[in-house]
Structure formats: structure tokens, C-alpha cells
């Protein structure tokens, strides 16, 4: 099945327990999410990791792959190198060497920002990645975030998102996407196969992946 198909993530989908770092065992779905999302990173891309988190590794992977990488988060510590390094150490038990800083860290444009008011110019990005974030936002903020994604994404750019279900209602999301002028890129399915990947940290949740483009 194509990586462009928007659907639930399955137990049988590719995953990696090592993604820049050795991922914590408690991250039940992230190994699958990152392994899928990385397929969209291309060498000439200018990309945004939206709500990137301090220690989360996607921005570092992108920095080693893409032409230019931006990363924003609502946590003000995102502007503090020492805070990021501490969170990496606390999360993975990894002490960062200078070679890592030179190869990844210094190639990222960090910004303290909410998703509902991005500080970037119109049509800045070839790809926007937003991994396991939408379920933490209010309905109002989700709508405004999509509007900001649309504004800052290039006309043929792709929005790569994952989110928890049923925290995010898929039928309501489809209605919202029509409103904010996004559509699924390629095929999509809301069907729930028997072999769904399940997260149990915050109750029983499934992870949905989506590739979106401007409508």
C-alpha cells in the first residue's frame, strides 16, 4: 500500500526502534509514525517540524536529510540549547557529543511559537510535519492551525500529520479540512482493520496518518 494513503497505522507497518536515538519503550506508536514520516523528507526540501518538542528526534533526522529545517514549539525552552540537550539526556539517557551538534543541531532554525500564529512568511515550506500534536489542541486552535499550515505551505507542498483516534473525530476532521481548504493527497480510508496499532498509555487509542495538500 502506498505511503501516500491516509489511514490508520497497523501493527504490520514498518517501524524502527532507533530513530536518531534509541526510542523509549513507552513510545508505543512513535517508531511507526517516524518510520512512515521520514519517507517524505527529500534533499531539496525546506521543511517545518511543527510543535517539534525538545527531545523528539524528527527535527534532527530532517536536519540530516533536507536542505533547510525549521522547528517550532510552544515551550520557550526550545530556544535554549542546554534545555534541549538536558531533555535529550533525560529522555534517552544519551549524552550528546560535538559531532552530533555539528551534524544536526546547528542546521535547524529554532523558534518559540504556537501553531495558531506561525511566524513564517506565506508559502515558505515544501513539507510541514506535525506528528502526534492535533489531539492536544482545542477545536478552535486546530482550525486556526490548519489555516496557518495552509498559509505557510507552498502551493504543491504536503502536510504530513499523525494524530490519536478517537480523540480526533475523523468525520469531523473531514468537514474541517473542507472548510480550511485542505484535502487528502491520494487515497484515504477511515476503515479500522483488525490489526490496528494500539497505544494504551492514555487509554486505548489508535494512530491515524494523513498526507494533505491544499484544495
Amino acid at each position: 500500500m502506498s505511503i501516500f494513503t491516509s489511514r490508520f497505522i497497523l501493527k504490520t507497518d514498518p517501524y524502527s526502534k532507533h530513530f536518531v536515538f534509541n526510542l523509549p519503550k513507552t513510545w508505543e506508536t512513535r517508531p511507526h509514525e517516524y518510520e512512515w514520516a521520514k519517507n517524505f523528507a527529500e534533499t531539496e526540501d525546506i521543511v517545518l517540524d511543527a510543535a517539534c518538542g525538545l527531545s523528539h528526534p524528527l527535527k534532527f533526522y530532517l536536519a540530516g536529510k533536507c536542505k533547510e529545517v525549521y522547528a517550532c514549539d510552544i515551550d520557550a525552552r526550545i530556544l535554549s540549547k542546554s534545555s534541549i540537550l538536558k531533555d535529550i539526556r533525560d529522555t534517552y539517557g544519551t549524552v550528546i557529543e560535538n559531532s552530533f551538534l555539528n551534524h544536526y543541531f546547528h542546521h535547524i532554525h529554532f523558534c518559540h511559537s504556537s501553531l495558531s500564529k506561525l511566524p513564517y512568511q506565506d508559502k515558505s515550506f515544501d513539507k510541514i510535519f506535525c506528528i502526534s500534536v492535533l489531539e492536544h489542541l482545542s477545536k478552535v486552535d486546530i482550525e486556526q492551525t490548519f489555516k496557518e499550515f495552509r498559509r505557510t505551505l507552498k502551493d504543491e507542498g504536503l502536510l504530513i500529520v499523525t494524530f490519536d483516534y478517537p480523540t480526533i473525530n475523523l468525520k469531523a476532521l473531514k468537514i474541517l479540512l473542507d472548510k480550511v481548504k485542505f484535502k487528502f493527497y491520494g487515497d484515504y480510508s477511515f476503515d479500522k482493520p483488525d490489526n490496528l496499532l494500539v497505544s494504551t498509555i492514555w487509554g486505548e487509542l489508535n494512530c491515524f496518518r494523513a498526507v494533505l495538500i491544499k484544495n
Side-chain angles (χ1 to χ4, degrees):
M1 190 177 295
S2 171
I3 61 169
F4 293 98
T5 301
S6 297
R7 60 171 175 80
F8 284 102
I9 294 178
L10 309 178
K11 295 176 182 177
T12 52
D13 284 332
Y15 68 94
S16 177
K17 295 181 180 179
H18 179 88
F19 191 81
V20 181
F21 309 110
N22 291 323
L23 303 181
K25 293 181 179 179
T26 54
W27 290 12
E28 296 170 298
T29 63
R30 290 298 178 90
H32 292 74
E33 293 174 79
Y34 291 141
E35 188 68 15
W36 170 72
K38 77 177 188 182
N39 290 290
F40 299 94
E42 298 182 285
T43 55
E44 294 303 310
D45 281 345
I46 299 173
V47 302
L48 171 66
D49 186 359
C52 63
L54 271 72
S55 64
H56 290 176
L58 180 59
K59 57 186 170 293
F60 300 118
Y61 175 85
L62 296 172
K65 180 77 173 180
C66 299
K67 179 180 179 180
E68 199 165 355
V69 178
Y70 292 77
C72 68
D73 200 88
I74 199 168
D75 189 332
R77 294 178 298 162
I78 196 64
L79 299 179
S80 167
K81 182 196 299 184
S82 61
S83 294
I84 294 174
L85 295 178
K86 180 182 183 301
D87 202 52
I88 290 172
R89 184 175 66 250
D90 292 345
T91 302
Y92 310 107
T94 300
V95 177
I96 298 303
E97 300 178 355
N98 286 334
S99 59
F100 177 92
L101 293 177
N102 292 332
H103 187 63
Y104 294 106
F105 201 96
H106 296 308
H107 290 82
I108 302 172
H109 304 280
F110 289 100
C111 180
H112 173 221
S113 171
S114 71
L115 297 184
S116 59
K117 192 175 182 180
L118 294 173
Y120 308 111
Q121 294 183 353
D122 296 357
K123 301 180 181 181
S124 293
F125 304 113
D126 298 291
K127 311 275 172 59
I128 296 177
F129 296 83
C130 187
I131 304 300
S132 287
V133 174
L134 297 181
E135 61 265 29
H136 301 292
L137 305 180
S138 69
K139 291 181 179 179
V140 172
D141 282 343
I142 290 174
E143 180 174 343
Q144 185 58 36
T145 292
F146 274 120
K147 289 179 180 179
E148 283 293 272
F149 286 164
R150 192 180 193 283
R151 180 184 67 80
T152 57
L153 196 63
K154 294 181 181 179
D155 288 339
E156 299 301 320
L158 296 180
L159 174 57
I160 311 301
V161 299
T162 65
F163 52 82
D164 288 341
Y165 170 90
T167 309
I168 298 295
N169 180 285
L170 293 174
K171 291 183 179 179
L173 176 67
K174 181 63 171 62
I175 294 171
L176 176 59
L177 292 179
D178 291 339
K179 181 179 180 180
V180 297
K181 298 182 180 180
F182 267 109
K183 63 181 179 180
F184 291 104
Y185 182 90
D187 296 331
Y188 72 93
S189 174
F190 294 162
D191 294 340
K192 296 178 65 179
D194 292 335
N195 59 338
L196 289 182
L197 185 66
V198 179
S199 171
T200 58
I201 297 177
W202 306 110
E204 188 169 308
L205 298 172
N206 306 119
C207 189
F208 195 89
R209 71 184 207 189
V211 186
L212 304 173
I213 193 169
K214 292 182 181 183
N215 193 353

